[in-house]
Amino acid sequence: MQETKIAFDGYAERYDEEFTYSAVGKLQRNRVWKYLSKNISVVDYPEILELNCGTGEDAAWLLKNGFKVTATDISQEMVNVANRKLNKGKAIVFQSDIKEVAFKLGTKKFDLIFSDFGGLNCLDSTTLSELSLVFSQLLNPGGRMIFVVMSRNCRWEQWYFKRKKDLKSAYRRQSKEGIEVILFDEKFSTWYYSPEEIKSLFNSHFTLKTAKPIGIALPPSYLDNYFRKHKLLLNILNLAEKIIGGISSFSDKADHYLIDFVKK
């Protein structure tokens, strides 16, 4: 099964407004960037392939830090915005379904494959398992994969929907099937995975290095409107995130988790 294609007008700009530049979104992304800063270097991992690059926010950060970036997204509108944001020419950005990326890249190899904030959640488990070999072939020896994945057991989400007496939504992530999600008035399917599930899907070609929570104290971005009005509380939660965000056992309880693999 292919990933969901979102191509309706205005989506990319609205995505930036409602997630990329939201108070919560920026704090969660900063957690990802902090991990990358400490764990990958231009010397060891100069060539990066980014999947589901969205509007290019992460690609821009990677370029700024000296990495060579090839970025793809299934949405042409996202690619268009990313190219404008990245000053077209400084990075290679093109439209592609994840399953078609290897074919379009030919023999090109990378040192790191990166995907942020739920790109892999657009794919079912069968597809992800098939991509294990594909990703391995795209990487140089010793290459890494770093993905940020939506978890199965987000405690924030469970608490929020329980308070609203919506138990179906509170535990929707625990379904093994694709869940219909509405984003900007468009319906599409999302699959949720625990770190152990992702590990098993890529185990044939990759060794798990670590997993870290992203959004264990920080709330999901759909609560941003509330926390914009309560900046002190958000700052306190961000401090708590810094304190407990390195505890791997909290990964599946966070909104997202970062999972890091090394090619076998």
Side-chain angles (χ1 to χ4, degrees):
M1 181 179 292
Q2 293 184 339
E3 62 200 295
T4 304
K5 186 170 184 176
I6 305 170
F8 43 97
D9 293 340
Y11 170 78
E13 286 80 2
R14 292 176 67 188
Y15 178 84
D16 268 350
E17 179 182 347
E18 298 186 24
F19 179 71
T20 305
Y21 302 137
S22 68
V24 171
K26 287 191 288 187
L27 290 174
Q28 286 202 15
R29 195 181 299 272
N30 283 340
R31 297 295 299 166
V32 178
W33 289 351
K34 182 177 180 180
Y35 182 89
L36 295 177
S37 294
K38 290 185 174 182
N39 290 276
I40 63 169
S41 71
V42 175
V43 174
D44 296 324
Y45 304 97
E47 289 272 0
I48 296 179
L49 170 63
E50 183 180 2
L51 305 174
N52 294 93
C53 69
T55 61
E57 194 72 10
D58 293 300
W61 182 88
L62 290 166
L63 285 172
K64 181 180 178 181
N65 284 273
F67 296 94
K68 296 178 182 178
V69 180
T70 299
T72 75
D73 197 276
I74 195 170
S75 165
Q76 185 61 53
E77 184 181 352
M78 287 288 202
V79 169
N80 293 342
V81 173
N83 269 318
R84 292 197 296 270
K85 186 180 292 188
L86 297 169
N87 297 319
K88 189 173 181 180
K90 293 184 178 180
I92 299 170
V93 187
F94 62 92
Q95 185 276 331
S96 181
D97 180 305
I98 289 179
K99 291 178 68 176
E100 298 171 350
V101 168
F103 173 76
K104 292 183 177 181
L105 288 168
T107 60
K108 188 171 177 61
K109 301 287 185 180
F110 299 88
D111 305 297
L112 170 68
I113 299 175
F114 174 68
S115 183
D116 208 354
F117 292 115
L120 265 65
N121 294 94
C122 297
L123 302 168
D124 62 23
S125 59
T126 300
T127 301
L128 287 178
S129 181
E130 292 170 351
L131 285 171
S132 178
L133 174 60
V134 175
F135 290 164
S136 177
Q137 292 172 337
L138 281 168
L139 287 168
N140 289 317
R144 299 262 288 280
M145 295 194 311
I146 297 178
F147 301 135
V148 179
V149 183
M150 290 186 285
S151 73
R152 273 204 179 280
N153 293 288
C154 176
R155 294 297 190 248
W156 262 106
E157 185 163 289
Q158 292 171 4
W159 172 80
Y160 173 71
F161 284 113
K162 282 180 180 178
R163 287 201 63 183
K164 296 182 62 139
K165 302 187 185 302
D166 184 355
L167 293 181
K168 181 179 179 181
S169 295
Y171 294 104
R172 61 185 176 181
R173 296 193 186 199
Q174 294 183 1
S175 172
K176 296 289 186 180
E177 304 299 323
I179 300 300
E180 186 178 86
V181 176
I182 299 175
L183 184 63
F184 303 120
D185 305 318
E186 187 79 3
K187 295 179 181 180
F188 63 99
S189 294
T190 299
W191 289 264
Y192 299 97
Y193 301 100
S194 70
E196 283 300 316
E197 287 172 316
I198 292 293
K199 176 185 175 182
S200 67
L201 291 171
F202 291 104
N203 188 56
S204 56
H205 300 94
F206 293 90
T207 300
L208 176 65
K209 184 176 177 67
T210 191
K212 302 291 183 184
I214 303 291
I216 182 62
L218 287 169
S221 60
Y222 52 76
L223 298 180
D224 189 73
N225 285 338
Y226 174 84
F227 284 98
R228 278 183 181 273
K229 301 172 185 176
H230 299 83
K231 293 183 178 179
L232 177 59
L233 177 56
L234 184 59
N235 288 337
I236 292 171
L237 292 173
N238 190 44
L239 177 60
E241 183 85 15
K242 292 178 181 179
I243 294 171
I244 64 175
I247 302 175
S248 294
S249 59
F250 287 168
S251 294
D252 196 41
K253 299 175 177 63
D255 184 27
H256 296 80
Y257 57 87
L258 181 150
I259 191 160
D260 188 349
F261 292 95
V262 179
K263 177 178 174 176
K264 288 184 178 179

